[in-house]
Amino acid sequence: MDGFIGGVWWYIVAIGVLVTFHEYGHYWVAKRCGVKVLRFSVGFGKPLWMRKNKDGTEFAIAAIPLGGYVKMLDEREYDVAPEEAHRAFNRQSPWRRIAIAAAGPVANILLCVLFLWGAFVVGLKEYAPVVGRTTGIAAEAGLRKGDEVLRIGDRNIQTWTDVRFALALAGLDRERVAVQVRNADGDTLTRTLDLSKLPAEFDELQAPTLVGLTARYQLEPPTVDDIVPGSPAYGVLAEKDRIVAIDGQPVSDYADIAPAVKALAARGGPGMIEVLRTEGDAQSPERRAFPLTPRIDKGEDGKPVARIGVIHKSSGTMPDFDAVRRYGPIDAIPAAFVETWHKARDTVGFMGRMLTGNASLKYVSGPVTTARAANATAKLGLAWFLNFLAVLSISLAILNLLPIPLLDGGHLLYYLIELVKGSPLSERTMAAGQYVGLALLVGLMGLALFNDVFFH
């Protein structure tokens, strides 16, 4: 499914699964604590479907798929028959209420582990953490093309996504970070990136680019898509030629062409341009070499620039994945727990830095961005969609654990205070907290929708 319909469908699937497990966590623990559950609802508003079990619990699917709830018997909300008073939520000990409130986020954490286990068993295709090109801070630190990133700070690296998140968090702190790599010769080396040199404000998720690291998969092939008429390459090179060397200097990326041409022009005289060319019905390309002399033109800034006249057009499509994280059913269990810890740490790290103002609030996303991401990952296959659900599940768990009234974390805060002071908070204090929590949640939702419209 594409576009709007696909986004809506996969969003409903994702939210439906996550909310169902979250609320089931509350329901399951409440039942074992002897609390009567009146309703288990996925979604808000008017029920579209409802069924009641023998214990009197109503199971419902409601019209607005933006969450869900478990309604329990509670004397603070309505009259309770004397014979059922012992089953009321408010009659339970603080420890039981803590267990019930914490059960939802815990269910999401366990669900994250389950999703990651499934993704690893299926095989999560990714891009290898191999450096394609370095400039700036990365080049100054000694990182080179072909280096495989093994570790950044205290985090083991397995994919380029790991590189992005590790550098994003370290960059926000403007710290010097050790990067362990394996170079093309197989030697393990440690380089130090001085991230204090990053701009005062930057896009956190673009940290590798700003540091000067380009992944191998991001390199553009040095193919000739067009030739400028009258240029040195006109009538010599042909469309679909792949340039492999200029004046003896190997070329593996389109970005290698300009400096090689500049060096050739500085040397003076013609140089050999070597290409791979496929003609006619030939099954394999033939290596050919042609003499060319760069022409000196005036650049956009008015300065002289050496050119040979070839044009490369980006395909606009992502290259095939070159790595896969796949484990057997047993080995995938510890791998899923470790990855869950990484995702939790990254999420908490970004949230903490947002609260302190070190990270941009534009990464607070709402339903529109979530729907787009759900649709995009679903197109990449089952493993990627499971990974997306895992990220969403751990984010939901952490969000719900924030000490904000109306959220599970707010209830946990109330019950912990009750344990300390020996008595529940007053109705007035709890009501005031509810209003504060409502204001915070409305503000958070407004920010998320604003970001959906203007930044995503």
Side-chain angles (χ1 to χ4, degrees), residues 277-336:
R277 177 178 296 179
T278 302
E279 292 184 322
D281 298 328
Q283 297 297 313
S284 58
E286 179 183 350
R287 190 176 183 115
R288 294 191 179 187
F290 305 94
L292 280 181
T293 301
R295 185 177 67 195
I296 306 300
D297 294 332
K298 183 179 291 187
E300 295 180 358
D301 57 0
K303 296 180 180 179
V305 58
R307 294 185 173 125
I308 58 175
V310 297
I311 298 174
H312 171 77
K313 300 175 183 177
S314 176
S315 64
T317 60
M318 296 294 288
D320 293 336
F321 294 115
D322 57 3
V324 61
R325 296 184 66 182
R326 180 182 284 115
Y327 303 91
I330 302 301
D331 291 338
I333 296 173

Side-chain angles (χ1 to χ4, degrees), residues 44-62:
F44 297 108
K46 183 178 180 180
L48 302 176
W49 174 89
M50 183 181 292
R51 182 180 178 183
K52 183 180 290 188
N53 69 4
K54 62 181 181 180
D55 194 40
T57 302
E58 296 175 341
F59 293 88
I61 297 177

Side-chain angles (χ1 to χ4, degrees), residues 3 30 90 147 169 203 209 240 262 308 334 349 388 395 433:
N90 63 291
D147 285 350
L169 291 173
D203 186 336
T209 301
K240 298 183 180 180
K262 180 180 179 180
I308 58 175
F388 165 75
S395 299

Side-chain angles (χ1 to χ4, degrees), residues 341-364:
W341 163 247
H342 285 162
K343 291 186 185 303
R345 186 174 66 171
D346 290 343
T347 303
V348 172
F350 267 110
M351 284 185 176
R353 289 165 176 82
M354 286 180 188
L355 291 174
T356 59
N358 289 339
S360 173
L361 293 176
K362 71 180 181 180
Y363 291 112
V364 177

